Amino acid sequence: MIEFINAAADIVLLALLLASAVMILRSASPLSVVVISTIYSLTICMLFVVMDAVDVAFTEAAVGAGISGVLMLSVIKRVDEPVSRNAANENAWPSPLALLCAAGLGIMLIAGTLDMPLYGDPGAPVHQHLVSRYLFESKIEIGIPNTVTSVLASYRGYDTLGEVVVIFTAGTAVLILLAGVTQASPVSPRPGFMAAPVIRRVLLRIVPLVLLFALYVQFHGDYGPGGGFQAGVIFAAGVITWGLLSRTGTMQSIISERWTLFAMGAGVLLYGLTGIAGMFAGGQFLNYSVLAKSPTAGQHAGILMIEFGVGVTVAFTMISLFMSFNREEP
Amino acid sequence: MPDLLARVFMVAGALVVLIGALGLIRLPDFFTRLHAASVVDTLGLWLLMAGLILLSPSWVVTFKLVLILALVFVLSPLSAHVLARSALSSGLRPWYRHERTRRLRADKPKADKPQSMP
């Protein structure tokens, strides 16, 4: 019975995923594409939960269904002439060559999956090599209950450093593109929307709870699902919600844009310095075991530091992007 | 006993959500559909959560469920409010059974306002 329900849930969610992908292809306005891709993210988030990948589901819910929607809507608002697909081309068939290429690629990809082990197969090569060490030894070597965090922050700390640098670089690139660009019509809601007291009052009471929850996710990442990436996005979501509720310019007058840029870099710097501290204490780059008297205590301290760095960089990248999209005309 | 009660709650909640889903498909326009989705979902989720609380193995789980309950209780009506409000402000008019009523309402936009008491 349970297997049947699980299979049914998988099929329904995958069908929903496919349907939203087709709807994205077919929809004419960028606005509906943004809305449908939010639904897509939420569906894929539920699929991750079905696969027991709660940490990933958490990230997907916060990034895909939360912040990226807001950022994309800000972009659409900024573009003066909304790009609409040509109505004449809407129902036209794609060119036969394109159709052939797509079909050929699809057939090759499906043929490729035939060689792959079954989903969840314990004999699959990926579960034979390092996974058993992560699952059985990490509680002794690293000493924290959440294996995902020990893999992400300690065993593969170097990869994660790369990810943070990627986020920092991407954020910097967008900010350089938007440098000095101001906006005549602010993204903030229309005056009529602002006047709705219910929305304002309720959300202004929710925002502190969101920020508190972000801190919980940040510092509880060793014990439960969560960590720097999720916490950073949730924190930014709280701040952005507040920014949407207040008049444009209010955010800029309270949070200095210079300081958000500084914080973006400071997070990456904290991560790198934690790695270098390991070198000075007599270990290798990003080896936290040497940071304290006992190896597990060192791992705890190191993971806490780098997760904090990740959280700061992620949160302030998002906040800087939102602020630069909403810069008021001087 | 709490087991049986939990089952009653959860079946009731599932039925309520099912009615909401039917309403979402069958009702004629955006506002009535939104009404079916939001009002019914809030109640349905409350019943489902009540069942889960009765079944919860520890106080921590109970506390988390109560927290979710409280958030949904506030945020689900709020999101429905936001949707309805922005639909109305971007020009979507509610559906009327008779075209005549719709035209009458459209001619006299003030007709919706409550009359001031004499």
Side-chain angles (χ1 to χ4, degrees), chain A residues 214-239:
Chain A
L215 291 180
Y216 167 78
V217 170
Q218 171 79 53
F219 294 110
H220 200 257
D222 299 2
Y223 299 95
F229 289 100
Q230 292 93 332
V233 180
I234 294 170
F235 191 86
V239 175

Side-chain angles (χ1 to χ4, degrees), chain A residues 20-32:
Chain A
S20 39
V22 172
M23 274 177 77
I24 289 176
L25 281 177
R26 304 283 309 167
S27 73
S29 81
L31 192 70
S32 53

